[in-house]
Amino acid sequence: MTEPSEQLFSTEVQPADAPGALGQAAGLLGQGQLVALPTETVYGLAADARSPGAVARIFEAKGRSAGNPLIVHVDSVEMARGCVAAWPSAAAQLAEAFWPGPLSLVLPKAESIPGIVTAGGDTLAVRCPAHPVMRAVLAKCGFPLAAPSANRSSRVSPTRAEHVVDQLGGRIPLVLDCGACDIGIESTVLDLTGDTPTLLRPGMISLGQLQAVIGPVAVAKPPDGDERLKSPGQLPRHYSPRAKLVVCGDLAAALGQANKATHVIAREPAPANWPSELWHRLPDSASDFARAFYDTLHRCDRLGAETILVQSLPDTDEWVALRDRLNRAAAEA
Ligand code: TXA
Ligand code: MG
């Protein structure tokens, strides 16, 4: 059932290159409203990071727990340094190597960022995105933008404007449409506040690439029991489609159980006579697979899939982030 408060807006979708679109987005953000914007990873749901009222709208629109902190997006190292209380040499080296790009750095929070952004914590994730539309809006605003992925909480992140509308239509005034995101999964999140840099969420910037720049990096273990979550993105169930998702080590065997509501995502062609609308073939390279993966999950949901069988992914380093997202999408709760 839809509550009246959920349909506050008739959501406008504007091509990002339409005349005035960037100015309209910056104008709304300046008034404390939300705008969904493309980034190179996934679409983000942006708000003025300096404004507790604007940031509160993000949590409301997503149905996100107040205990899950947001990433703040900046257009320069200078803006990043205005959001954090320390800028260690590891941050400087990583920003030099990977920004603008899909890497979020967790650092001590500056006073200028309200506590609602960091879920009351004293650390802040900052990221300088590479997407020209996000960068143009940041430049017009001149202030940092808090932006989680533009999906309802625990659902699959959007890699196209229509995925945003499916989940947040009626809840936000504007989406800037710039087609499909280039990377297709969320940024690497690295915590620089402890003694050893710690990977909180794998992404397409790999552990090896980080270590090549700053030396040893630890990998956070998923928290167990009552342990306070360092990164709720580490929750077992996350990034999930509506359909039940099953990872199949032996795809051929699993196909025996398939019915008309079973969709298959595989890196190989369908068996002869298999209904082509139920078979989604994805590329063999990890980066091409990442670009298409969430879009395919959204498409399966739209087509009414009850079950999605996904062929298990290669056990090599370049697939680490994708295996992480696939396992979370498949988790039961
Ligand atoms: O690629 C991305 O990172 C996208 C685009 C829009 O930039 N954003 C994104 O945001 O994925 P979100 O909110 O969906 O995921 C942010 C992740 C969550 O797992 C959150 O718990 C973690 O980063 N995080 C944010 N701030 C943190 C902090 N201070 N300490 C630890 N983890 C943090
Ligand atoms: Mg998210």
Side-chain angles (χ1 to χ4, degrees), residues 42-43 62 64 68 148-158 186 201 233 238-239:
V42 299
Y43 277 73
K62 281 184 61 94
R64 182 174 174 119
N68 191 355
S149 51
N151 50 281
R152 292 281 289 167
S153 186
S154 89
R155 302 297 305 285
V156 179
S157 294
E186 306 82 353
R201 180 173 72 182
H238 212 84
Y239 316 111

Side-chain angles (χ1 to χ4, degrees), residues 54-301:
V55 173
R57 291 194 164 102
I58 292 180
F59 286 90
E60 198 180 332
K62 281 184 61 94
R64 182 174 174 119
S65 142
N68 191 355
L70 305 177
I71 297 173
V72 166
H73 296 66
V74 297
D75 70 353
S76 62
V77 166
E78 190 191 348
M79 191 185 275
R81 294 186 71 159
C83 300
V84 297
W87 187 250
S89 62
Q93 289 170 300
L94 290 165
E96 174 72 26
F98 299 114
W99 280 6
L103 176 64
S104 300
L105 299 175
V106 175
L107 292 160
K109 179 181 91 62
E111 295 278 322
S112 59
I113 300 295
I116 185 173
V117 174
T118 59
D122 52 14
T123 66
L124 175 74
V126 281
R127 166 163 119 79
C128 180
H131 196 290
V133 170
M134 186 67 166
R135 293 183 63 75
V137 172
L138 277 164
K140 274 195 187 290
C141 288
F143 50 78
L145 294 172
S149 51
N151 50 281
R152 292 281 289 167
S153 186
S154 89
R155 302 297 305 285
V156 179
S157 294
T159 57
R160 294 180 178 273
E162 49 268 39
H163 305 157
V164 179
V165 175
D166 277 352
Q167 296 195 40
L168 298 177
R171 297 171 191 268
I172 60 175
L174 179 66
V175 183
L176 288 192
D177 184 352
C178 202
C181 297
D182 194 40
I183 293 176
I185 64 167
E186 306 82 353
S187 63
T188 304
V189 180
L190 182 70
D191 185 355
L192 293 178
T193 63
D195 290 340
T196 308
T198 303
L199 185 68
L200 299 181
R201 180 173 72 182
M204 293 312 272
I205 293 179
S206 69
L207 188 64
Q209 285 175 288
L210 298 172
Q211 286 174 330
V213 176
I214 54 165
V217 173
V219 177
K221 294 255 178 310
D224 48 316
D226 294 335
E227 204 180 316
R228 189 184 161 276
L229 297 186
K230 255 291 200 182
S231 187
Q234 295 178 305
L235 282 170
R237 185 175 171 85
H238 212 84
Y239 316 111
S240 301
R242 270 188 285 268
K244 179 178 165 60
L245 190 148
V246 183
V247 183
C248 304
D250 185 347
L251 187 60
L255 292 181
Q257 310 294 319
N259 62 35
K260 278 191 244 164
T262 307
H263 286 244
V264 180
I265 300 179
R267 286 167 287 107
E268 59 192 47
N273 301 327
W274 199 271
S276 59
E277 68 278 11
L278 300 180
W279 192 277
H280 308 268
R281 186 177 181 187
L282 294 193
D284 262 324
S285 97
S287 58
D288 293 344
F289 188 105
R291 195 172 298 125
F293 181 50
Y294 286 166
D295 187 37
T296 306
L297 293 181
H298 284 289
R299 184 159 338 123
C300 290
D301 269 348

